[in-house]
Amino acid sequence: MRALVFTGPEKAEVQDVPEPVAAEGQVVVEVGRAGVCGTDVELFTGEMSYLHTGQASYPLRPGHEWSGTVIATGPGVDPSWHGRRVTGDTMIGCGDCRRCLAGRHHICASQRELGIQDGLPGALAEQVTVPVRQLLPLPYAVDDELGALVEPGGNALRCVEAALLSPGERLLVIGTGAIGRLVAMFARARGAEVHLLGEAPRPDLPHAWTRDTLPDLPWDAVVDASNGPGMPALAVDLVEPGRRVVYIGLSGTPSHMDTRTMVLKDVTTVGILGASAGLAGTIDAYAQGLVDPRPLIGATISLEEVADVFRGHRPSSVGPGPKILVDPHRTI
């Protein structure tokens, strides 16, 4: 089968690799769509921290936002999974430790990430092997495109839930990328008044501001979905006293915050790692039409075109959406 392989920093190629075989407790999925994520870009450039801690190394096969159809089941797997359309949880815990048993497998000390860490080839390929316990079935209303957006949607939903907003309250989202816009979509679906703060004017987005144009309003919660090192401190400065700031964005350098501001304002801050607890809710929201992320899709490309995207080149036919999807079976 064909798969995208990172052979070194800034080096990517499509290779013919052996088709995967489902071991005990695993399935093989024919990938329908896979998403391109900022984490994939960091793995491509060599900036991803796992490459420096030894958790990941080249050659590496990326891809952790995906959907597809089960085409083979391994020993110990219920054969009824065969033929089902699915997506899956990227975060793979040991399943036996205190954290996993409490439903926090995404922070298991032995947690590994599909398409990100060594030994777990990702879904930017025609097929991918996944532990059956990581699978989530997709209903008819959630097609392959929506299925590939479940993982980023799960992150966004967790942010909204962590913000603890009531209908009619006001949310400020810092960052207008895919995660920031998904946060806005989920928050609006729950009745919040949502504003976005970005680096440049965005007339295509409702209530989108820059630092210079941001209105002086009380923000009942702030979600930082940016990668700006100064944004975590700004979020605490802007949020209403006694309310919440949710962090999901990560900057390339350490962020500095005066905790005296956080204490004196009685602000609660929450970090979000991974989509695990938000995946099922995201599938339901997509299936019911409560959230429609399709406008985020800028283009669907082939595996051969992905490297150019990682190098910062947008496809010529791309639309305004920030998200690039890949059809692994498409050829140029």
Side-chain angles (χ1 to χ4, degrees):
M1 69 167 188
R2 296 159 62 248
L4 184 70
V5 182
F6 294 159
T7 58
E10 305 281 348
K11 296 179 180 178
E13 59 187 55
V14 178
Q15 296 182 359
D16 288 323
V17 300
E19 291 186 352
V21 176
E24 185 170 358
Q26 294 181 334
V27 303
V28 176
V29 174
E30 187 86 15
V31 179
R33 291 290 187 277
V36 174
C37 171
T39 301
D40 300 323
V41 176
E42 290 183 359
L43 289 168
F44 171 72
T45 62
E47 296 172 317
M48 176 67 180
S49 62
Y50 288 172
L51 292 166
H52 305 286
T53 60
Q55 293 166 277
S57 61
Y58 301 114
L60 187 149
R61 284 165 47 187
H64 60 275
E65 303 174 359
W66 58 272
S67 64
T69 302
V70 176
I71 59 171
T73 58
V77 176
D78 187 333
S80 67
W81 278 105
H82 195 283
R84 298 186 74 177
R85 295 181 54 258
V86 295
T87 188
D89 191 343
T90 295
M91 307 293 209
I92 302 173
C94 70
D96 298 317
C97 71
R98 183 172 180 266
R99 295 174 190 172
C100 285
L101 294 175
R104 297 190 295 272
H105 65 275
H106 65 295
I107 50 171
C108 169
S110 302
Q111 182 265 126
R112 304 168 74 198
E113 297 177 58
L114 184 79
I116 297 174
Q117 291 175 279
D118 283 347
L120 296 170
L124 283 168
E126 292 179 325
Q127 298 175 12
V128 64
T129 303
V130 185
V132 68
R133 70 174 186 270
Q134 305 300 119
L135 295 182
L136 291 94
L138 294 176
Y140 176 80
V142 180
D143 62 12
D144 283 343
E145 288 189 339
L146 292 180
L149 294 171
V150 167
E151 197 275 344
N155 280 282
L157 176 56
R158 289 194 64 209
C159 289
V160 173
E161 292 178 339
L164 292 184
L165 287 167
S166 297
E169 292 190 311
R170 186 179 293 117
L171 170 67
L172 177 65
V173 181
I174 302 176
T176 57
I179 294 296
R181 294 198 217 179
L182 280 164
V183 170
M185 289 178 179
F186 277 98
R188 289 189 182 115
R190 294 189 173 204
E193 177 188 324
V194 182
H195 297 249
L196 294 104
L197 176 61
E199 292 182 346
R202 293 300 307 259
D204 58 315
L205 299 177
H207 297 310
W209 315 98
T210 65
R211 289 286 297 276
D212 293 333
T213 62
L214 185 68
D216 184 16
L217 295 171
W219 308 107
D220 298 307
V222 178
V223 173
D224 179 13
S226 76
N227 59 6
M231 295 302 102
L234 177 65
V236 173
D237 287 340
L238 291 174
V239 75
E240 278 287 280
R243 302 307 297 263
R244 288 192 162 210
V245 174
V246 181
Y247 296 113
I248 189 168
L250 293 174
S251 67
T253 57
S255 299
H256 299 281
M257 182 192 308
D258 190 340
T259 58
R260 292 173 297 183
T261 304
M262 185 165 44
V263 171
L264 293 173
K265 291 184 69 173
D266 196 24
V267 170
T268 299
T269 62
V270 182
I272 298 295
L273 174 68
S276 300
L279 296 172
T282 297
I283 292 171
D284 288 343
Y286 290 176
Q288 295 177 46
L290 300 175
V291 173
D292 180 11
R294 291 185 194 277
L296 299 180
I297 302 172
T300 299
I301 62 175
S302 67
L303 286 171
E304 284 80 7
E305 297 171 281
V306 176
D308 276 345
V309 171
F310 289 145
R311 296 185 183 100
H313 304 301
R314 298 276 284 176
S316 58
S317 60
V318 71
K323 199 68 182 174
I324 302 296
L325 296 186
V326 178
D327 177 352
H329 302 280
R330 177 184 293 188
T331 56
I332 296 178

